[in-house]
Amino acid sequence: MVLLGLDPGLETVGYGVILENNDAYKLVDFGCIKTSSTLPLAERLGMIEEDVQGLLDHHRPDLIGIETLFFEKNRKTAFDVAQARGVLLNTCHKHHVPIIEPTPLQVKMNVTGDGRADKIMVQTMVARILHLETLPKPDDAADALAVALCSLNMHRTTFV
């Protein structure tokens, strides 16, 4: 099963692709889609759509995880990221692949066993699960890998 995890953002969208076979995991691809704050919002959202479309066409995932949003303070940032997340959902929905939407708490709890885990703990556990020699970086890409792993576990418990 090919899993795609997405960590939404307007400036940076993290992505991670994992191959799962008989409970064995293999890292396929990870990184970030970046947009410039100097560009108009519509252009940035279009860039995100095109790049995610490219990931979907190239990797052909069987399951997609898109993290839900959690913001306490900055409403402007929340609105911008929500629009980017909407583009992710819409683009992925067109591929008719199941989409799981874990919360940040569910991702941390699922991958580390601690819903309050920090970035380093998430990176450490992702590296351990995927048998990586170094921590996956940047944070957005590591978070996307964690979203992919969590989404697979949520999918299994939902559809077993």
Side-chain angles (χ1 to χ4, degrees):
M1 176 177 278
V2 177
L3 315 162
L4 170 63
L6 296 167
D7 181 35
L10 181 59
E11 186 173 328
T12 305
V13 175
Y15 66 87
V17 182
I18 298 169
L19 176 64
E20 184 270 341
N21 188 11
N22 296 326
D23 293 328
Y25 302 102
K26 178 183 176 192
L27 176 63
V28 175
D29 189 14
F30 71 102
C32 294
I33 298 166
K34 300 235 180 219
T35 69
S36 172
S37 61
T38 62
L39 297 174
L41 177 62
E43 191 171 338
R44 295 172 80 182
L45 295 173
M47 291 170 67
I48 291 169
E49 179 181 19
E50 287 176 20
D51 287 354
V52 170
Q53 184 65 51
L55 288 170
L56 293 166
D57 291 342
H58 181 72
H59 294 293
R60 304 231 179 263
D62 301 299
L63 180 69
I64 300 168
I66 304 174
E67 191 172 59
T68 60
L69 304 180
F70 175 75
F71 285 95
E72 290 183 23
K73 297 181 180 161
N74 191 335
R75 284 189 178 174
K76 167 79 169 100
T77 301
F79 289 136
D80 289 346
V81 174
Q83 291 179 87
R85 186 172 182 279
V87 167
L88 296 176
L89 285 166
N90 187 52
T91 305
C92 292
H93 171 74
K94 292 176 185 176
H95 278 255
H96 306 287
V97 174
I99 298 171
I100 306 289
E101 300 178 64
T103 66
L105 176 71
Q106 288 172 314
V107 172
K108 291 176 183 179
M109 189 68 163
N110 193 282
V111 173
T112 71
D114 180 358
R116 296 175 160 212
D118 63 14
K119 295 278 187 191
I120 296 295
M121 180 55 118
V122 172
Q123 288 173 310
T124 300
M125 289 307 296
V126 166
R128 188 172 295 164
I129 293 166
L130 296 176
H131 308 289
L132 305 177
E133 293 182 15
T134 60
L135 298 183
K137 292 185 180 185
D139 292 348
D140 300 295
D143 289 348
L145 291 168
V147 169
L149 291 166
C150 175
S151 296
L152 175 62
N153 289 332
M154 291 175 71
H155 178 75
R156 284 181 173 157
T157 59
T158 303
F159 296 102
V160 170

